[in-house]
Amino acid sequence: LAIRAATSEEGQRAAASHTASTATPSVTRDALFRQAGVIAVDSVPELTDAVMALSWQPLPSGRSVAVLSNAGGLGVLAADACVHNGLRLAALGEETREALARLVPATASVHNPVDTTAVVDEETFARCLDVIGADPAVDAVITVTVPTALGDPTGGVHNVDGKPVLAVRTGQTERLAGEIPCYAEPARAAAALARLADRTEWLSRPREFARLNRIDLDAAKAVVAGEEGWLAPDDVVALLTAFGLPVLGGTLTTTEEHAVAAQQAYDTPVALKAVADDLLHKSKGGGVELNVTDAGGVAAAFRAFRQRFGDRLRGVFVQPMASSGRELLVGVVTDEKFGPLVVTGLGGVDTDLLDDRAAALAPLSTADADDLMHGFRTAGHVLAQTDEQAVRDVLLRVAELAGALPEVQELDINPLVLTDEGCVVVDARVRVAPAEHADPFLRRLRTS
């Protein structure tokens, strides 16, 4: 367990001036925590809540929760909090509902969240808990109790064999008999239970790393050897191809005639991209012409680039037009302490608009790659009707490249176009610099 700190710029400056020689960016730190199974929280109360649950209760087998309460309104709040924290309300079986109906008044609710009403005593509440705990659809139980004029059913809260039970008693944080953690409000209990479920899932994660074929490491090393700065487009294509990535490819041209010849050789509509000093975002900088179909259009586009960029123009990259499809960003940036950070999210023109991304540290296990692929908010929509195996393969190969070639300080594939047949790298840029090889599995804070 860890408390996040230095998440603001002010906090990072404070950390740097005291115990930390360099403030680790929060996105890198959180990626490390997730992959290492560290449960990260934002406050001391959250830490205490998690410690109570983890210390005293078993882990749930899943995320399906039942709420049992003698106060209907608080039970509804607990149900809402469960959903908010990524848990699911269990659908109680018919036998469970019939057994509950025999125990509670006719005005009670025997559907989840279960409301026994305020008139049940401690013994009846305990029997209701036994019935709910025996339902195979239930992985965990949250009880919510308040004292009434007829008694306090909190005494009926007890452990259920093999399933965690977390209690809520408004205004009080304590430990009930049987080492049952008791929280002051439903939201805190739901958050603690979600951390138990997270722990279950992390412990059951596959641990294997994929064995990738079609990698020519010698060819890749030859591309980056002795280079510094942003690689030329044809070198980028060679580097990505050496790692088996599905690159669209293209031809780097330096004259109008060469560009025209490239278009005619492709015999298809082409995209022309200016290669110019300090032009990293080609679309924003006016360095892209799409769907050029003939020699005249190619020559005109080349002359327009020359006029726009002048002496900065180093050439024009000619590519066949790619098939349309959803667009992803896949990138790498190297952190000086923890190594390469692989990032993915929305690509194309949406990249900066929505800032919807996920990150993980290389090397990536197969589970890390799946988490990364589904880790950004719109992943479900973007990946719908897509060959996820093809996307996973790209993420694993990019991570392999970053780990094998520490000289690659930045890599930006944007867009990776998702098509019916798989995916294709349409545009990419790579910055290299001299670097030393290090153990990619060794991550430790370094002292000065």
Side-chain angles (χ1 to χ4, degrees):
L1 287 144
I3 298 180
R4 295 184 183 94
T7 55
S8 65
E9 290 185 8
E10 291 79 4
Q12 287 191 354
R13 283 196 295 270
S17 62
H18 291 96
T19 58
S21 60
T22 303
T24 304
S26 60
V27 65
T28 306
R29 175 207 58 204
D30 289 347
L32 178 63
F33 282 167
R34 282 193 304 274
Q35 291 170 255
V38 175
I39 297 173
V41 298
D42 295 310
S43 67
V44 173
E46 286 180 279
L47 184 71
T48 305
D49 290 348
V51 167
M52 290 166 59
L54 288 161
S55 298
W56 299 334
Q57 289 294 302
L59 296 176
S61 58
R63 290 183 170 269
S64 185
V65 184
V67 175
L68 175 64
S69 171
N70 74 327
L74 288 175
V76 171
L77 289 178
D80 288 344
C82 287
V83 174
H84 177 74
N85 282 278
L87 302 170
R88 298 184 299 272
L89 289 183
L92 300 180
E94 184 177 353
E95 291 184 4
T96 300
R97 297 194 305 274
E98 291 175 351
L100 289 171
R102 292 192 291 268
L103 294 171
V104 297
T107 54
S109 171
V110 295
H111 293 274
N112 196 14
V114 176
D115 176 15
T116 65
T117 77
V119 302
V120 299
D121 57 20
E122 177 181 315
E123 181 181 351
T124 302
F125 195 85
R127 293 171 65 188
C128 290
L129 178 55
D130 286 331
V131 170
I132 292 173
D135 192 314
V138 174
D139 298 319
V141 182
I142 293 179
T143 67
V144 185
T145 57
V146 295
T148 71
L150 300 175
D152 184 355
T154 304
V157 179
H158 60 277
N159 286 305
V160 175
D161 187 33
K163 298 180 181 180
V165 176
L166 277 64
V168 176
R169 195 179 187 193
T170 53
Q172 290 184 260
T173 299
E174 56 185 322
R175 180 172 64 174
L176 304 183
E179 294 193 328
I180 294 176
C182 185
Y183 300 92
E185 58 178 327
R188 291 175 62 177
L193 183 55
R195 301 194 195 287
L196 291 185
D198 291 343
R199 184 66 177 168
T200 296
E201 292 175 356
W202 188 86
L203 288 172
S204 63
R205 283 163 57 93
R207 293 291 192 265
E208 68 267 10
F209 287 77
R211 294 181 178 272
L212 302 175
N213 57 9
R214 295 184 291 111
I215 292 179
D216 188 343
L217 187 56
D218 290 337
K221 288 181 177 179
V223 173
V224 301
E227 297 288 338
E228 188 165 2
W230 295 98
L231 293 180
D234 49 348
D235 286 336
V236 172
V237 170
L239 176 63
L240 300 185
T241 301
F243 273 86
L245 286 157
V247 186
L248 180 61
T251 303
L252 180 61
T253 65
T254 55
T255 65
E256 291 180 31
E257 294 76 16
H258 191 188
V260 169
Q263 186 273 325
Q264 292 178 340
Y266 289 128
D267 193 25
T268 184
V270 296
L272 283 81
K273 301 175 181 179
V275 180
D277 295 343
D278 302 322
L279 179 65
L280 295 180
H281 300 283
K282 295 182 177 64
S283 295
K284 290 182 180 179
V288 176
E289 288 289 339
L290 301 177
N291 282 311
V292 183
T293 59
D294 54 31
V298 172
F302 200 106
R303 289 193 297 270
F305 288 155
R306 183 182 294 146
Q307 183 176 5
R308 185 173 300 140
F309 300 109
D311 293 340
R312 295 165 54 207
L313 187 68
R314 301 302 176 207
V316 173
F317 198 58
V318 182
Q319 286 182 297
M321 286 295 297
S323 302
S324 60
R326 295 285 185 184
E327 297 181 338
L328 285 183
L329 162 76
V330 177
V332 171
V333 62
T334 296
D335 181 275
E336 64 176 14
K337 287 184 179 295
F338 300 120
L341 184 74
V342 184
V343 178
T344 191
L346 288 179
V349 296
D350 297 327
T351 299
D352 296 323
L353 179 64
L354 296 180
D355 191 23
D356 185 13
R357 297 171 191 169
L361 286 161
L364 296 182
S365 68
T366 54
D368 292 333
D370 285 341
D371 288 347
L372 184 59
M373 181 167 55
H374 296 283
F376 56 101
R377 296 186 301 277
T378 54
H381 183 68
V382 172
L383 297 174
Q385 300 178 339
T386 295
D387 181 6
E388 291 192 2
Q389 178 57 43
V391 179
R392 183 185 299 108
D393 188 66
V394 167
L395 294 175
L396 291 171
R397 289 180 184 279
V398 167
E400 185 76 11
L401 184 157
L405 300 176
E407 297 89 347
V408 175
Q409 299 295 295
E410 293 182 58
L411 184 154
D412 196 32
I413 295 173
N414 187 22
L416 175 73
V417 176
L418 312 183
T419 68
D420 293 338
E421 293 78 29
C423 53
V424 60
V425 177
V426 174
D427 198 9
R429 55 196 178 109
V430 177
R431 183 176 66 85
V432 297
E436 295 182 2
H437 284 259
D439 183 351
F441 288 96
L442 181 62
R443 311 191 203 280
R444 63 183 181 188
L445 295 175
R446 298 182 177 91
T447 57
S448 58

